[in-house]
Amino acid sequence: MALVLITSKNSRRSRKRALWAMARHEAQDVCGDPRTSGRSYMLTWTDRPGTEGTDWEWVPDNGSHAPVLDELGITPRREWTAAPQAPAEAA
């Protein structure tokens, strides 16, 4: 899983602003689409966002990227559940 974040240019915030949770390959597709960045913002993703409420928080989705999500066939979630880590192989 990956968390898609919105980042404002020339702005410092104490917490990252999360829009959606989705599969990593979907986040790469969304964030790589040129329609998901503008003059004052861009979308980025991470699979290690830290702790909700401390490092990041959900922000409202105003629907401006709905056409991109629809075209890519992605239904984002608004719940973060990190994928379990694969167990380390025995030595």
Side-chain angles (χ1 to χ4, degrees):
M1 291 302 295
L3 198 62
V4 176
L5 308 165
I6 185 165
T7 304
S8 297
K9 298 175 184 173
N10 302 320
S11 174
R12 297 222 181 260
R13 299 201 181 253
S14 59
R15 292 186 192 140
K16 296 175 185 169
R17 299 178 300 153
L19 285 173
W20 314 296
M22 57 185 62
R24 184 177 177 172
H25 71 277
E26 292 173 333
Q28 290 171 328
D29 290 345
V30 168
C31 295
D33 191 295
R35 297 172 290 176
T36 62
S37 66
R39 294 180 66 183
S40 62
Y41 76 95
M42 66 183 211
L43 298 186
T44 186
W45 65 271
T46 182
D47 56 2
R48 296 183 181 162
T51 305
E52 182 177 357
T54 302
D55 302 313
W56 63 273
E57 63 190 355
W58 292 110
V59 295
D61 175 4
N62 67 11
S64 64
H65 295 103
V68 175
L69 295 170
D70 289 343
E71 185 177 306
L72 294 173
I74 297 171
T75 302
R77 298 179 356 186
R78 297 279 293 180
E79 177 183 338
W80 174 248
T81 306
Q85 298 295 316
E89 290 193 31

